[in-house]
Amino acid sequence: MDIRVDSKTVIVFDLDDTIYNELDYLRSAYSEIAQKILPEKWESLFLRMFSLYRCQQNVFQILSEEFSIGSDELLKLYRNHTPNIRPFSGILDLMARIKERNGKIAIITDGRTATQNRKIVALGIKNYIEKIVISEEIGTEKPNEQNFIAIEKAIPNGNYTYIADNCKKDFIAPNILGWNSICLIDNGKNIHRENYLHTTKEKSPKNYIRSIKDLNVV
């Protein structure tokens, strides 16, 4: 799929499951927590934690009952660890090509400010980004239009495209505001897997891609 980019182009990305798989963040956090709790046998604890997650169990409650560590402390470790995550193949090249064409890049993401900023730094994309809108910081979550209007105010008079993955909430506001929108189809690892239930007209993107590599800057 071709994207025409010039000085008025503003490409806005979602973060989790659009630039990288959020499941990798969970693995990263679980690994660090397991090493803190059982440094000598952390691998087996990590595998158990991930299995419990897959079985939709309350991992932190189970750990807090078994080990002398509270659920709140586990949650703090989860949110504040330095993540070991990598962007999807093609993301860095795509961002570089957008910048070469004098386009602008921004992010709209739900989550905690400190957590999401750590992810952005770990992914190596911070220097490409003109504006970051995080729900905790702005006080509203998607699909609230204010999160998208914040981009329009920060980078005015642009031709806006939102690239995201979640048809439940990601494309409602862009559709209302007249943005272009592109859905990155679940690669089988997305945290939220119920997207097919939400493909109504108001929630649907203008276009779909299977991979970031399907996007070609022209």
Side-chain angles (χ1 to χ4, degrees):
M1 175 183 171
D2 289 343
I3 301 181
R4 189 167 298 278
V5 175
D6 57 30
S7 60
K8 292 184 69 64
T9 302
V10 184
I11 306 295
V12 187
F13 292 87
D14 174 41
L15 182 58
D16 301 315
D17 285 327
T18 299
I19 291 179
Y20 80 107
N21 267 135
E22 190 175 4
L23 198 61
D24 290 339
Y25 179 84
L26 181 141
R27 287 194 182 100
S28 171
Y30 278 10
S31 175
E32 184 159 319
I33 290 168
Q35 290 178 62
K36 180 178 178 61
I37 294 175
L38 280 181
E40 301 300 324
K41 299 181 179 180
W42 72 268
E43 293 96 338
S44 60
L45 179 58
F46 166 80
L47 290 173
R48 183 182 167 207
M49 291 168 65
F50 195 74
S51 178
L52 288 168
Y53 165 78
R54 284 297 202 191
C55 294
Q56 299 182 329
Q57 300 298 303
N58 189 326
V59 178
F60 291 167
Q61 181 180 334
I62 292 170
L63 291 182
S64 67
E65 290 173 355
E66 185 171 342
F67 301 96
S68 57
I69 186 168
S71 294
D72 290 344
E73 185 177 351
L74 291 168
L75 187 58
K76 185 177 180 180
L77 287 169
Y78 184 92
R79 290 172 174 167
N80 295 331
H81 87 288
T82 300
N84 181 14
I85 52 178
R86 298 290 181 271
F88 287 137
S89 179
I91 281 285
L92 298 181
D93 287 342
L94 175 62
M95 289 186 172
R97 293 199 303 273
I98 293 168
K99 300 297 284 187
E100 286 171 2
R101 297 275 183 151
N102 297 315
K104 307 295 191 301
I105 298 172
I107 285 180
I108 297 175
T109 178
D110 287 344
R112 293 176 175 267
T113 302
T115 300
Q116 299 305 83
N117 277 324
R118 285 191 185 93
K119 293 175 183 177
I120 289 166
V121 171
L123 291 165
I125 59 174
K126 189 174 179 63
N127 290 339
Y128 292 106
I129 299 166
E130 305 282 336
K131 176 67 176 177
I132 301 169
V133 174
I134 303 175
S135 61
E136 182 185 58
E137 195 169 275
I138 197 172
T140 56
E141 294 185 350
K142 294 178 290 185
N144 195 302
E145 292 173 37
Q146 292 306 312
N147 299 53
F148 295 82
I149 291 171
I151 295 294
E152 294 183 345
K153 289 179 177 178
I155 313 173
N157 305 315
N159 298 319
Y160 306 94
T161 295
Y162 192 49
I163 303 173
D165 70 284
N166 192 338
C167 289
K168 184 176 182 179
K169 63 177 182 177
D170 282 338
F171 306 111
I172 296 172
N175 289 342
I176 292 171
L177 295 171
W179 291 23
N180 187 24
S181 53
I182 301 171
C183 179
L184 176 62
I185 295 173
D186 184 352
N187 63 5
K189 298 180 182 179
N190 285 18
I191 291 286
H192 303 287
R193 300 183 174 185
E194 77 287 3
N195 284 349
Y196 74 95
L197 297 174
H198 304 287
T199 51
T200 61
K201 183 177 180 180
E202 68 171 358
K203 296 179 179 179
S204 296
K206 302 290 195 305
N207 301 280
Y208 293 88
I209 55 172
R210 290 179 294 175
S211 166
I212 289 295
K213 289 184 174 180
D214 291 338
L215 295 175
N216 181 43
V217 172
V218 297

